[in-house]
Amino acid sequence: MVKNTIDTVSETIENEDNAVDLDQALSVAGIGWYNIRYSLALALFLISAIIDPVGYSYLLPAAKCDLQMTDAQRGVIGSIPYIGVVATSFPWGYLVDTKGRKKTVVYSSLAAGLFGVLAAFMPDLTSFTIFKLLSAFCIACPASVPYSFIGEILPHRYRDITLSITNAMQISGSALVPLLAWAILPLDFRIDFGLYYFRPWRLLTIIYSSFFILSAILMSFGPESPKYLISQGRHDESLKVLRTIYSGNKRKPAADYPVKRLKLPEQDKQKQTFLNSLVQQTIPLLRPPYLKGFILNGTLLFGIFATLNGLYMWIPDILNRVLTGDSADLTACEVIAQRLNETASENAQCNDSIDSMTFVINTIANFCCAFIALGFSSTVKILGKKTLLILVYMLIGIFCVLVNFVTQDTIFAILLSSLPITGLAIGPINAYAVEIFPTNLRGMAIGLTMMVGRTGSIVGTNVAGLLINAVCELTFYIFGGMLILCGLLSLLLPRSRIEPRPAKDMPL
């Protein structure tokens, strides 16, 4: 019997003539500065995809006077990033699986950044909205692809912990939003551009969008996914990437990499039309054995994004109202109702100022959330993905419900500002996707489940905007109950790694 094994400690193979599985080849390449560096670059895409949409929670209140924006319009415009993601997740998923991870994520991120920067120079609400919508059409790719990309350049045993830590870093993007807003919005300058004055909120728009451009530049020097290359039958290119990873990690010549041949998946030699290719990428996800995972992942992501992006967009405004109101022995919803009555009785001019304490509380709270998330991420190996998910959903769900009973400003601010921790659940859910779905379907699967999730952002933004003034208490009961339900649904996730069946075994 001829052995075909790799010793990942001694980095030798017993028979170099035998083809090696890609997961074994990645184990030999190991983990080190090279793939960690590009994991960080990929994490920056995710941070960018958080900063730009969450930034609306500060940009829109600061721009409402210049752009003559009503509260109803603000809710719709706040949904734009998520509308763009939902509308384009399908084509971006197709391009990622057929044209490559690296090229697609670099070009899409660059376009998102450029359109976002141009939006800062638009004179009115209509033109501003159009360019932000164009930017939103490009966000779906950098908002989802890095999860599968990171999983495909790391050995299997490091994927869960790395994706969880990456997700904690993404939460730090939420912390940068109020910090940057705090630094820019209080500035007092007005530059006459003819049709409008260039004020601080426009500069903040440029800064938020520039993260996409920086991400694209950094990743342009990075490798293509070896898993994508091997799935396309590009054996030599995949092996070259693996040699580079090995050399960068081990500080040894690439020629010393002991793997000489990789196992190639069976290729479909028949040429396909665009539509047939799309069908082949999508239909398998809607049939067993992947249907259950697709529905479950999509539902769990819906709950996350409805809270993380939907409800959270209104948090600075809610905090601003509570902190500037008479909150003695009153719950947050009672203060909001009180402020609404005061506003209705006044005939005041437009006010786009934000109380400095709103910046302070949100900045401190978000950085605390990032550190907490990082701490939880480091325990994912001990707790397991499922346990971590259940804890996050249940904890934040209970916090949302408790908002209706708290009368102390400090406790209220802590409970409400803990919402970014919900983002900690995204990494484990996508780690399950990396395990459940095969390489040729993984980009589409993650893209589509993220699309379902971001539908929650649209629903959450508008539902919170409609309910927070009309039936405030119900708002927090709905979002809290939804998260608790997601925590219970997480029990349906598998405990052990699922070995995906080859796509060729699946009927179309």
Side-chain angles (χ1 to χ4, degrees):
M1 180 175 175
V2 178
K3 287 187 177 180
N4 182 23
T5 59
I6 294 182
D7 184 339
T8 58
V9 177
S10 63
E11 299 169 5
T12 60
I13 35 182
E14 297 182 6
N15 190 339
E16 293 186 357
D17 293 331
N18 287 334
V20 171
D21 179 81
L22 184 59
D23 278 339
Q24 292 176 305
L26 282 168
S27 294
V28 175
I31 188 169
W33 174 238
Y34 187 88
N35 42 19
I36 289 175
R37 178 176 58 188
Y38 287 112
S39 293
L40 292 173
L42 288 165
L44 188 56
F45 286 107
L46 300 173
I47 291 172
S48 304
I50 282 288
I51 288 177
D52 190 74
V54 175
Y56 279 68
S57 58
Y58 292 93
L59 288 176
L60 298 185
K64 67 180 181 181
C65 297
D66 286 352
L67 298 180
Q68 300 178 6
M69 192 174 2
T70 66
D71 286 343
Q73 290 171 327
R74 180 177 155 197
V76 174
I77 294 171
S79 303
I80 282 178
Y82 315 116
I83 293 172
V85 169
V86 170
T88 60
S89 288
F90 195 96
W92 282 122
Y94 168 78
L95 290 173
V96 166
D97 283 334
T98 57
K99 302 301 180 184
R101 316 296 199 232
K102 175 184 171 181
K103 182 190 298 184
T104 311
V105 76
V106 167
Y107 285 145
S108 61
S109 186
L110 186 61
L114 291 175
F115 283 129
V117 169
L118 289 173
F121 296 95
M122 294 300 107
D124 54 36
L125 182 61
T126 301
S127 56
F128 174 82
T129 302
I130 289 172
F131 274 87
K132 291 303 281 185
L133 183 60
L134 290 173
S135 177
F137 284 152
C138 304
I139 292 178
C141 188
S144 60
V145 170
Y147 289 111
S148 58
F149 205 151
I150 290 172
E152 292 173 357
I153 62 174
L154 293 171
H156 176 261
R157 61 176 175 163
Y158 297 108
R159 286 174 193 162
D160 288 351
I161 183 68
T162 305
L163 285 170
S164 294
I165 292 174
T166 298
N167 210 66
M169 293 175 61
Q170 184 185 17
I171 295 174
S172 70
S174 298
L176 289 174
V177 170
L179 184 63
L180 292 171
W182 189 11
I184 301 299
L185 290 181
L187 298 176
D188 186 18
F189 65 81
R190 297 166 63 92
I191 304 173
D192 190 351
F193 271 46
L195 293 175
Y196 62 89
Y197 287 100
F198 190 93
R199 294 183 60 214
W201 69 266
R202 294 184 181 273
L203 174 60
L204 186 61
T205 302
I206 294 172
I207 292 173
Y208 284 158
S209 297
S210 65
F211 280 85
F212 281 116
I213 299 174
L214 177 61
S215 303
I217 292 172
L218 291 176
M219 195 58 212
S220 63
F221 298 99
E224 178 57 276
S225 163
K227 209 153 196 173
Y228 165 76
L229 293 172
I230 201 71
S231 72
Q232 299 296 306
R234 295 155 65 177
H235 175 275
D236 292 343
E237 293 177 63
S238 181
L239 195 55
K240 183 178 179 181
V241 170
L242 289 166
R243 286 180 184 137
T244 304
I245 294 174
Y246 173 85
S247 178
N249 287 339
K250 308 296 184 180
R251 303 299 180 187
K252 295 181 179 180
D256 289 355
Y257 185 52
V259 176
K260 306 304 178 186
R261 290 176 57 208
L262 298 171
K263 290 180 181 177
L264 284 171
E266 291 189 16
Q267 300 293 313
D268 185 359
K269 304 296 183 182
Q270 189 176 14
K271 287 194 173 182
Q272 300 174 329
T273 64
F274 175 79
L275 182 59
N276 286 339
S277 183
L278 281 178
V279 170
Q280 189 175 39
Q281 292 290 114
T282 308
I283 296 300
L285 301 176
L286 305 179
R287 293 179 176 177
Y290 304 122
L291 179 60
K292 176 186 173 183
F294 180 77
I295 293 175
L296 188 56
N297 278 24
T299 302
L300 295 178
L301 288 170
F302 184 96
I304 293 171
F305 286 113
T307 306
L308 184 63
N309 296 334
L311 177 60
Y312 187 74
M313 199 208 81
W314 295 92
I315 296 308
D317 184 53
I318 295 171
L319 277 174
N320 200 42
R321 292 195 221 179
V322 172
L323 295 175
T324 56
D326 182 10
S327 58
D329 298 323
L330 297 177
T331 65
C333 287
E334 289 170 344
V335 175
I336 288 172
Q338 181 187 74
R339 292 299 308 276
L340 282 173
N341 293 332
E342 292 173 358
T343 303
S345 63
E346 295 173 359
N347 189 21
Q349 63 181 8
C350 182
N351 180 13
D352 58 12
S353 63
I354 301 176
D355 188 88
S356 60
M357 281 306 296
T358 301
F359 296 123
V360 173
I361 290 174
N362 271 280
T363 300
I364 294 173
N366 278 278
F367 273 112
C368 287
C369 286
F371 283 118
I372 291 170
L374 188 62
F376 269 107
S377 297
S378 63
T379 65
V380 69
K381 280 287 187 181
I382 302 171
L383 295 175
K385 296 192 290 290
K386 180 187 288 190
T387 304
L388 182 61
L389 280 175
I390 295 171
L391 284 175
V392 169
Y393 279 123
M394 291 296 186
L395 183 66
I396 305 303
I398 292 171
F399 281 4
C400 280
V401 173
L402 289 177
V403 165
N404 286 328
F405 301 96
V406 171
T407 57
Q408 291 82 18
D409 285 358
T410 303
I411 298 177
F412 163 75
I414 291 172
L415 293 177
L416 213 54
S417 299
S418 67
L419 293 185
I421 294 178
T422 314
L424 185 62
I426 299 174
I429 292 174
N430 282 298
Y432 273 113
V434 170
E435 295 180 357
I436 293 171
F437 303 107
T439 305
N440 63 312
L441 300 175
R442 190 173 298 144
M444 180 67 78
I446 292 180
L448 290 180
T449 53
M450 291 292 279
M451 179 187 74
V452 174
R454 305 240 180 220
T455 304
S457 301
I458 300 171
V459 174
T461 300
N462 288 281
V463 167
L466 290 172
L467 296 183
I468 201 70
N469 292 331
V471 278
C472 179
E473 287 86 358
L474 181 61
T475 306
F476 295 104
Y477 282 129
I478 288 175
F479 284 93
M482 178 177 57
L483 290 175
I484 292 171
L485 176 61
C486 286
L488 296 175
L489 289 175
S490 298
L491 293 169
L492 300 176
L493 291 166
R495 285 191 176 276
S496 57
R497 183 176 188 270
I498 296 176
E499 291 292 341
R501 287 170 53 192
K504 64 183 179 66
D505 291 338
M506 294 173 28
L508 293 179

